[in-house]
Amino acid sequence: MKAKEVILAGRSNVGKSTLFSSLLKVEVRKGKKPGTTIKPNSFQFGKVIFTDLPGFGYVSGYKRSFSEKVKDFVVEYIETNARRIVASVEVIDASSFLEIAERWERRGNIPVEIEMFEFLNEVTPRVFLAANKMDKVDDYSILNKIAEKLGMQPPWENWKHVIYPVCAKKGEVSTLKRDLKQYLLSLNLKDAAKAFR
């Protein structure tokens, strides 16, 4: 059997690499400033490859052309490897998602994270949405508004198989880890068990 792949995608500085490390107990390059991950970090466990993709979207201190280049790279990577990708995890910053999305919408643009969510749903068979940085959120009801922005009818609890509130920095990722592992095992990818130690 050829290797299968799970990807983590998300805007810059949402804690994607921290979540990747927290889920798999592997060390990847992380940074305080956006743009630290500029090429994919991949780890293979048997027949399952886990890939942390570069963060897309506006990156402070870089030219807009750099941001576009990274986004194009991410999209191209997903399209090129779509046949082996069995799941995708989109990571968002739950504390700033709405503010950023509304700023984009006021300019008449589709927010990049919403665009990516729609793209992943088109191209990959299963999407897990990791709503990260929940420690910075006062009220879980914000997840209802996030669900709505992403085209899911609130309450968010109806979408617990899609939306996973996490705090990667504190290692609070158990529900996402459990469901991702169960999903991979349902595909007979027993190597998934080795990945989630």
Side-chain angles (χ1 to χ4, degrees):
M1 184 177 74
K2 288 183 178 176
K4 299 297 182 186
E5 187 172 12
V6 176
I7 56 166
L8 268 77
R11 191 172 51 77
S12 300
N13 222 26
V14 294
K16 188 169 41 60
S17 299
T18 304
L19 178 62
F20 191 86
S21 295
S22 196
L23 283 172
L24 301 173
K25 302 289 183 252
V26 293
E27 275 309 307
V28 294
R29 190 166 172 239
K30 301 186 280 284
K32 294 251 182 237
K33 67 186 185 79
T36 301
T37 307
I38 53 170
K39 63 179 186 178
N41 280 309
S42 292
F43 289 84
Q44 188 160 349
F45 298 87
K47 297 280 186 191
V48 185
I49 302 163
F50 291 85
T51 301
D52 175 26
L53 290 169
F56 54 80
Y58 173 73
V59 180
S60 179
Y62 290 86
K63 289 182 179 174
R64 190 166 293 281
S65 59
F66 172 80
S67 303
E68 285 302 316
K69 193 174 168 184
V70 172
K71 187 183 166 197
D72 290 347
F73 171 82
V74 170
V75 169
E76 191 178 320
Y77 182 94
I78 296 167
E79 287 176 339
T80 302
N81 296 292
R83 292 177 78 173
R84 76 177 187 195
I85 296 171
V86 291
S88 55
V89 179
E90 182 177 359
V91 188
I92 65 165
D93 178 346
S95 67
S96 65
F97 176 87
L98 290 174
E99 179 198 332
I100 292 167
E102 283 160 8
R103 195 183 317 145
W104 278 65
E105 286 167 350
R106 280 195 299 274
R107 294 184 199 137
N109 297 323
I110 299 170
V112 68
E113 287 158 310
I114 294 172
E115 201 172 47
M116 181 56 69
F117 185 71
E118 290 168 356
F119 173 67
L120 291 173
N121 273 292
E122 280 174 26
V123 179
T124 67
R126 176 75 196 270
V127 182
F128 296 80
L129 184 85
N132 194 23
K133 304 192 184 184
M134 289 302 291
D135 56 322
K136 295 183 177 179
V137 170
D138 295 330
D139 187 352
Y140 266 48
S141 68
I142 197 169
L143 294 172
N144 293 330
K145 292 175 184 170
I146 290 171
E148 200 166 13
K149 287 273 182 211
L150 293 167
M152 293 174 272
Q153 187 68 38
W156 78 272
E157 287 91 348
N158 291 342
W159 303 96
K160 280 188 172 180
H161 60 292
V162 179
I163 300 173
Y164 292 85
V166 297
C167 180
K169 205 172 184 180
K170 295 182 178 180
E172 295 167 4
V173 299
S174 57
T175 309
L176 174 60
K177 185 188 273 196
R178 180 200 69 204
D179 285 8
L180 194 49
K181 180 179 175 181
Q182 282 178 352
Y183 171 72
L184 293 173
L185 290 173
S186 77
L187 299 177
N188 208 27
L189 293 169
K190 295 185 175 71
D191 295 322
K194 297 173 194 169
F196 300 104
R197 292 171 282 170

